[in-house]
């Protein structure tokens, strides 16, 4: 895994000093090496985390004839098969890296190469002869890729802080981006929370040449119409699922020239991945877990049970509320967005443990909940749909008592509140029926916004209507579960799970995450299944549990679903609030940021101070986190330029090609 | 339970009593019954409505109607005759 950046400047020489500053701000993504390429129109930068072909895979890398250059972040897991195919077509290779496979694949298949890649990537290809830049991102948005256009041209980078190295780049919040974040928990590509800075949509590529800038989707999230799924045989499908996941895991565990570890949360998904590695490879496994001092969040018992069952070398890190508060400014600096949960912070600490243990790569169970209907929001949607068939039925209303059994304020314990909350907008024709309660409850944050920001949002108004309108026309024929999955895979997965909790927290400590459940073959297989194979009644991951019944202990396979959570407001407002909190949330800082009404913020903070942040409602926790993280984001990226603390003198580059000065080394 | 003990293929259509029975056996295999009989009946009703695309009456969403495999089969079969 690596960091990439670049400048395309058609009317002026690309600024090499700027490129090196941008590269320096991505040092944490690739501390093993760096490099650059520049000609009279384009400059590409790269920081390298060396995982495949450490000796031969330095970047930027060129084609044999020097006409095409690539800077690449990620892994193409089927690069060996692609290389074999390309050799049979006459291509010869100088290295054993997947980077070189990209160059040959591009030369052979053009933009058609992306749909052949099974991997996780963000990359830029520069064709010198055609003066054409191509940006591409993997199907589900595992790897980030941002860009902005200035008066001098286009800048792109793995992280926004690298774009902000250019003083010409605007530094302001985007009202519509904040509106999305305070509705969906994250922005939806191409939007970000920063004005003028966009992200490439997952599953797409962009081309910049003399004809302008244009984007094309090469893959989209698809499901069959309900009832039109291919003929099913549950035994055959169970076998096929197992084979697909075993292969996806093997590709991600074995295709590495450095050791690969695994996260073990104590839940089903990471347990399956670890168990598959144990069963199907001969490599000793090192597992890593987060534990919490608060038993409400801790899953240590299940983690230890699974680690013992597999005989892994296991390490965990015990995270306290104070530790979360301590690293939270770094977490926001890496996440580059307001975050409505403290949950990324323990993952930042976990990846630090992984790096300190000498590992650069981990496989995790991320993606299973989206692909196999594991989240509570899908159970919630099924209950609401059931209720909507007769909203006046007292009997049907009781079904909400089946939801969220792990919550201290569960609908089972507070049924009247549950009926009031989940009984709103019970419209079975609503394509977003699954997500209305979450969006509505999150949008409470917007009641804290300043009048000025609300006006700006109203005048830009992407609203959630746009997201629903963006659903494919055929979504009306999908199973309601599939519609919920589409929304989840479009919003929370790329915007939060894979970003703020994924890539950013891993790469902050130079660790690459690999996600077998997001393998393109596996996702295609799972999406084609009937919904009931995923959510069987209210039982999540039906076929998955069936396929791995022999590898995962019953106690873990049958345990109630417990989402990964961390202490939120109580991390910041306990007995000893962190030193930075007062300044960041002061009335002056809140007024300067201009996002929230200072009086409302004062009231929320007073409530937090009074309670110590403990036993607060979900809404109050979100309010508190929205304030703290937004203020930190403002202080980090708008009041300052977001990267000064990361600016550093880069080590000697492994690749240094400047055609402007005709200086070549390492190419 | 090992993989081989799982109930097998339940994907024939239209549903016959065997298929309904297999769905109910799967339901029993994958979860722990709710101790509240009314909530247990709701769990089963949610499953049957989803798999067989039917809408049960309040009288049918009842432990007496859905509590045993035989009675649940009767309920589903009755709805299928009406389709």
């Amino acid at each position: 895994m690596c960091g990439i950046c670049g400048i395309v400047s058609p009317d002026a020489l690309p600024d090499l000093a700027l490129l090196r500053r941008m590269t320096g701000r991505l040092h944490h993504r690739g501390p093993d090496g760096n490099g650059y390429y520049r000609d009279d129109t384009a400059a590409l930068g790269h920081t390298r985390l060396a995982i495949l072909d450490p000796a031969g895979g330095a970047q930027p890398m060129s084609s044999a004839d020097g006409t095409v250059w690539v800077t690449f972040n990620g892994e193409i897991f089927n690069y060996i098969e692609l290389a074999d195919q390309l050799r049979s077509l006459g291509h010869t290779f100088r290295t054993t890296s997947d980077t070189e496979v990209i160059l040959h694949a591009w030369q052979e298949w053009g933009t058609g190469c992306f749909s052949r890649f099974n991997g996780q990537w963000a990359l830029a290809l520069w064709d010198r002869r055609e003066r054409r830049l191509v940006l591409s991102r993997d199907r589900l948005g595992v790897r980030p890729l941002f860009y902005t256009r200035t008066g001098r041209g286009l800048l792109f980078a793995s992280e926004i802080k690298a774009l902000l190295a250019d003083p010409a780049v605007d530094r302001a919040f985007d009202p519509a981006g904040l509106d999305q974040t305070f509705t969906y928990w994250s922005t939806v590509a191409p939007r970000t929370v920063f004005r003028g800075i966009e992200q490439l949509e997952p599953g797409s590529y962009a081309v910049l040449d003399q004809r302008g800038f244009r984007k094309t989707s090469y893959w989209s999230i698809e499901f069959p119409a309900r009832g039109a799924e291919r003929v099913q045989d549950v035994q055959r499908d169970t076998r096929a699922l197992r084979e697909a996941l075993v292969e996806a895991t093997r590709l991600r565990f074995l295709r590495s020239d450095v050791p690969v570890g695994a996260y073990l949360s104590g839940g089903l998904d990471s347990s399956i991945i670890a168990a598959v590695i144990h069963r199907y490879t001969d490599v000793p496994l090192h597992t890593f877990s987060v534990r919490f001092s608060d038993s409400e969040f801790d899953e240590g018992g299940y983690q230890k049970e699974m680690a013992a069952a597999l005989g892994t070398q296991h390490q965990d890190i015990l995270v306290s509320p104070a530790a979360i508060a301590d690293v939270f400014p770094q977490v926001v600096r890496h996440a580059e967005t307001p975050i409505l949960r403290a949950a990324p912070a323990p993952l930042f600490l976990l990846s630090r443990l992984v790096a300190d243990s000498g590992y650069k790569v981990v496989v995790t169970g991320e993606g299973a909940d989206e692909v196999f209907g594991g989240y509570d929001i899908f159970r919630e949607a099924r209950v609401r749909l059931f209720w909507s068939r007769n909203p006046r039925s007292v009997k049907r209303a009781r079904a909400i008592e089946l939801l969220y059994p792990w919550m201290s304020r569960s609908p089972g314990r507070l049924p009247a509140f549950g009926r009031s909350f989940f009984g709103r907008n019970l419209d079975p024709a609503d394509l977003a029926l699954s997500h209305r309660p979450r969006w509505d409850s999150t949008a409470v944050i917007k009641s804290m916004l300043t009048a000025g920001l609300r006006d700006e949002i109203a005048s830009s108004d992407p609203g959630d209507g746009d997201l629903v309108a963006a659903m494919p026309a055929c979504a009306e024929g999908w199973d309601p579960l599939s519609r919920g999955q589409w929304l989840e895979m479009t919003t929370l997965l790329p915007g939060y799970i894979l970003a703020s909790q994924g890539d950013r927290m891993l790469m902050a400590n130079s660790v690459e995450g690999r996600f077998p459940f997001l393998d393109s073959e596996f996702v295609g297989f799972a999406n084609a299944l009937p919904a009931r194979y995923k959510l069987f009644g209210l039982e999540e991951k039906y076929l998955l549990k069936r396929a791995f019944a022999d590898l995962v202990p019953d106690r873990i396979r049958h345990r109630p679903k417990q989402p990964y959570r961390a202490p939120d407001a109580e991390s910041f407002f306990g007995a000893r609030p962190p030193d930075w909190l007062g300044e960041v949330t002061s009335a002056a800082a809140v007024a300067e940021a201009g996002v929230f009404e200072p009086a409302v913020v004062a009231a929320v903070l007073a409530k937090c101070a009074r309670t110590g942040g403990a036993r607060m409602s979900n809404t109050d926790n979100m309010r508190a986190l929205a304030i703290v993280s937004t203020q930190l984001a403002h202080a980090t990226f708008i009041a300052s330029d977001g990267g000064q603390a990361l600016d550093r003198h880069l080590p000697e580059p492994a690749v240094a090609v400047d055609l402007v000065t005709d200086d070549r080394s390492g190419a | 339970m090992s993989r081989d003990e799982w109930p097998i293929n339940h994907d024939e259509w239209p549903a016959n009593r065997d298929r309904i029975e297999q769905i109910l056996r799967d339901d029993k295999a994958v979860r722990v019954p709710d101790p509240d009989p009314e909530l247990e009946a709701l769990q089963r009703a949610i499953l049957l409505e989803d798999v067989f695309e039917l809408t049960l009456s309040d009288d049918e969403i009842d432990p007496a109607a859905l509590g045993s495999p035989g009675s649940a089969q009767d309920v589903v079969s009755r709805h299928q005759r009406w389709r």
Side-chain angles (χ1 to χ4, degrees):
Chain A
M1 202 54 57
C2 308
I4 66 171
C5 59
I7 305 166
V8 176
S9 178
D11 303 319
L13 278 181
D15 182 344
L16 187 56
L18 169 60
L19 183 81
R20 296 296 283 165
R21 275 204 311 281
M22 293 170 70
T23 309
R25 292 185 177 198
L26 301 172
H27 180 76
H28 54 284
R29 298 185 69 90
D32 297 335
N34 71 88
Y36 65 85
Y37 161 85
R38 179 173 77 150
D39 61 26
D40 58 359
T41 305
L44 308 178
H46 190 263
T47 60
R48 185 176 190 212
L49 187 66
I51 291 168
L52 288 174
D53 192 4
Q59 298 187 48
M61 183 184 285
S62 74
S63 58
D65 63 3
T67 58
V68 181
W69 286 80
V70 66
T71 184
F72 159 54
N73 164 212
E75 306 290 345
I76 308 299
F77 294 115
N78 62 337
Y79 74 105
I80 292 176
E81 291 76 13
L82 289 170
D84 288 345
Q85 198 176 349
L86 288 160
R87 279 190 198 94
S88 72
L89 294 167
H91 293 257
T92 56
F93 288 82
R94 295 165 289 163
T95 72
T96 57
S97 70
D98 53 348
T99 309
E100 192 183 356
V101 172
I102 292 169
L103 286 162
H104 287 275
W106 169 258
Q107 290 183 311
E108 184 64 36
W109 298 305
T111 54
C113 71
F114 302 127
S115 57
R116 293 170 184 262
F117 293 165
N118 180 354
Q120 49 191 43
W121 71 87
L123 62 84
L125 286 150
W126 171 244
D127 188 321
R128 279 178 60 201
R129 280 185 307 200
E130 301 290 334
R131 293 164 66 84
R132 177 178 296 146
L133 178 78
V134 177
L135 303 174
S136 171
R137 196 171 174 205
D138 63 69
R139 291 170 179 81
L140 288 163
V142 177
R143 296 298 155 220
L145 185 50
F146 300 95
Y147 57 89
T148 188
R149 279 162 280 196
T150 69
R152 287 181 294 182
L154 180 136
L155 275 64
F156 66 87
S158 299
E159 297 187 13
I160 289 168
K161 58 183 69 69
L163 303 178
L164 296 176
D166 184 349
V169 174
D170 195 12
R171 293 205 313 268
F173 280 134
D174 178 71
L178 290 177
D179 185 37
Q180 288 187 340
T181 302
F182 298 148
T183 306
Y184 308 132
W185 285 29
S186 73
T187 58
V188 181
R191 202 170 283 281
T192 73
V193 295
F194 297 99
R195 189 167 63 198
I197 295 178
E198 296 182 55
Q199 54 177 321
L200 186 61
E201 290 91 335
S204 68
Y205 63 86
V207 177
L208 174 67
D209 58 17
Q210 290 167 345
R211 290 167 50 207
F213 184 80
R214 54 203 180 276
K215 294 186 284 189
T216 304
S217 166
Y218 68 87
W219 185 85
S220 55
I221 303 161
E222 291 175 356
F223 298 91
R226 182 178 165 113
E229 301 92 349
R230 63 179 169 77
V231 175
Q232 302 299 315
D233 177 319
V234 73
Q235 285 187 311
R236 183 194 62 203
D237 287 332
T238 303
R239 281 195 302 274
L241 183 157
R242 182 157 168 144
E243 286 166 13
L245 190 61
V246 167
E247 180 59 16
T249 306
R250 284 169 57 90
L251 277 178
R252 283 155 182 78
F253 188 72
L254 296 177
R255 291 207 168 160
S256 169
D257 292 329
V258 298
V260 178
Y263 278 0
L264 201 54
S265 71
L268 178 73
D269 313 325
S270 61
S271 295
I272 287 176
I273 299 301
V276 165
I277 293 168
H278 180 257
R279 169 68 67 90
Y280 293 96
T281 76
D282 296 319
V283 184
L285 182 60
H286 195 148
T287 48
F288 301 90
S289 298
V290 166
R291 296 201 58 187
F292 292 99
S293 47
D294 186 336
S295 61
E296 183 184 347
F297 306 103
D298 187 45
E299 299 181 73
Y302 294 108
Q303 293 160 2
K304 283 192 187 321
E305 180 172 341
M306 195 66 212
L310 300 178
T312 69
Q313 186 182 344
H314 188 68
Q315 274 180 276
D316 57 37
I317 180 168
L318 186 65
V319 177
S320 65
I324 289 173
D326 187 42
V327 298
F328 206 66
Q330 293 179 74
V331 166
V332 172
R333 183 183 292 278
H334 284 285
E336 300 180 322
T337 182
I339 44 182
L340 309 184
R341 287 282 185 271
L347 296 173
F348 173 87
L349 293 165
L350 182 61
S351 70
R352 182 190 287 172
L353 172 68
V354 170
D356 289 347
S357 303
Y359 279 77
K360 291 182 183 179
V361 188
V362 287
V363 290
T364 86
E366 224 59 80
D369 286 316
E370 291 81 0
V371 173
F372 258 89
Y375 283 131
D376 282 309
I377 197 170
F378 300 130
R379 302 174 79 245
E380 176 189 308
R382 185 156 287 175
V383 164
R384 279 166 39 80
L385 189 64
F386 173 79
W387 188 6
S388 76
R389 294 189 188 111
N390 184 0
R392 284 177 298 184
S393 164
V394 175
K395 239 176 205 179
R396 285 179 185 262
R398 275 207 76 195
I400 58 109
E401 295 173 38
L402 297 165
L403 297 172
Y404 301 97
W406 48 268
M407 283 177 72
S408 56
R409 296 163 174 242
S410 71
R413 295 187 187 94
L414 303 168
F417 171 76
R419 284 192 296 275
S420 159
F421 183 78
F422 294 113
R424 280 175 284 183
N425 303 318
L426 277 183
D427 176 6
D430 180 4
L431 296 181
L433 173 82
S434 56
H435 283 62
R436 293 291 172 201
R438 179 199 285 171
W439 294 349
D440 289 348
S441 64
T442 306
V444 168
I445 293 168
K446 289 188 271 191
S447 66
M448 303 192 298
L449 299 182
T450 59
L453 183 55
R454 278 193 239 185
D455 289 344
E456 288 186 78
I457 289 170
S459 61
S460 60
D461 190 25
D464 66 65
D466 268 12
L467 185 57
V468 175
M471 294 180 81
C474 57
E476 285 193 29
W478 292 350
D479 189 280
L481 175 67
S482 304
R483 296 200 286 261
Q485 287 182 274
W486 187 94
L487 289 167
E488 200 69 357
M489 290 181 184
T490 303
T491 56
L492 207 71
L493 178 65
Y496 177 78
I497 298 291
L498 294 176
S500 299
Q501 278 194 187
D503 175 271
R504 304 318 190 76
M505 295 307 111
L506 287 154
M507 294 309 295
N509 291 304
S510 312
V511 176
E512 170 180 298
R514 296 181 173 188
F515 315 109
F517 285 106
L518 297 180
D519 176 276
S520 57
E521 299 287 327
F522 186 77
V523 171
F525 168 81
N527 284 7
L529 292 170
R532 67 178 178 281
Y533 277 15
K534 301 166 196 171
L535 188 58
F536 185 74
L538 294 181
E539 289 301 305
E540 78 278 3
K541 298 174 186 162
Y542 165 75
L543 204 66
L544 188 66
K545 288 178 179 173
R546 182 179 175 123
F548 293 97
D550 61 325
L551 292 191
V552 179
D554 281 353
R555 203 170 84 90
I556 289 175
R557 196 157 44 89
H558 292 307
R559 63 174 289 206
K561 170 77 178 168
Q562 180 176 337
Y564 165 67
R565 296 178 306 140
D568 287 317
E570 68 177 288
S571 296
F572 307 98
F573 298 97
R576 286 192 302 171
D579 294 341
W580 52 265
L581 186 65
E583 185 180 339
V584 164
T585 58
S586 69
V590 171
E592 188 191 341
V595 175
F596 299 118
E597 283 292 349
V600 180
V601 168
V604 172
L605 297 183
K607 185 174 183 180
C608 290
R610 202 167 53 245
T611 61
R615 291 185 295 283
M616 289 176 66
S617 69
N618 180 52
T619 304
D620 281 342
N621 268 312
M622 272 197 296
R623 282 194 181 108
L625 266 290
I627 292 168
V628 171
S629 64
T630 303
Q631 288 299 119
L632 278 171
H634 181 270
T636 307
F637 299 105
I638 295 174
S640 65
D641 83 355
Q644 285 164 344
L646 295 172
D647 280 344
R648 60 175 68 221
H649 182 70
L650 285 165
E652 198 65 24
V655 177
V657 177
D658 187 355
L659 299 186
V660 175
T661 59
D662 204 21
D663 176 19
R664 292 162 174 262
S665 61
Chain B
M1 176 180 282
S2 76
R3 288 175 69 205
D4 294 334
E5 289 172 286
W6 284 79
I8 57 170
N9 193 352
H10 50 61
D11 282 294
E12 299 163 35
W13 189 262
N16 55 30
R17 290 185 73 86
D18 285 349
R19 180 168 181 248
I20 299 167
E21 186 186 341
Q22 284 162 1
I23 290 286
L24 295 171
R25 280 165 53 202
D26 265 9
D27 185 36
K28 193 176 171 190
V30 297
R31 66 182 178 86
V32 178
D34 198 294
D36 179 333
E38 202 165 306
L39 290 179
E40 175 60 18
L42 280 164
Q43 289 243 37
R44 184 153 279 184
I46 289 168
L47 171 69
L48 296 176
E49 287 200 358
D50 180 59
V51 172
F52 297 109
E53 295 188 80
L54 45 85
T55 301
L56 303 175
S57 68
D58 272 12
D59 286 345
E60 290 169 324
I61 305 171
D62 188 89
L66 301 178
S68 73
S71 58
Q73 281 179 332
D74 290 343
V75 169
V76 175
S77 299
R78 192 162 58 242
H79 276 268
Q80 298 221 311
R81 278 202 300 276
W82 294 340
R83 287 164 75 104

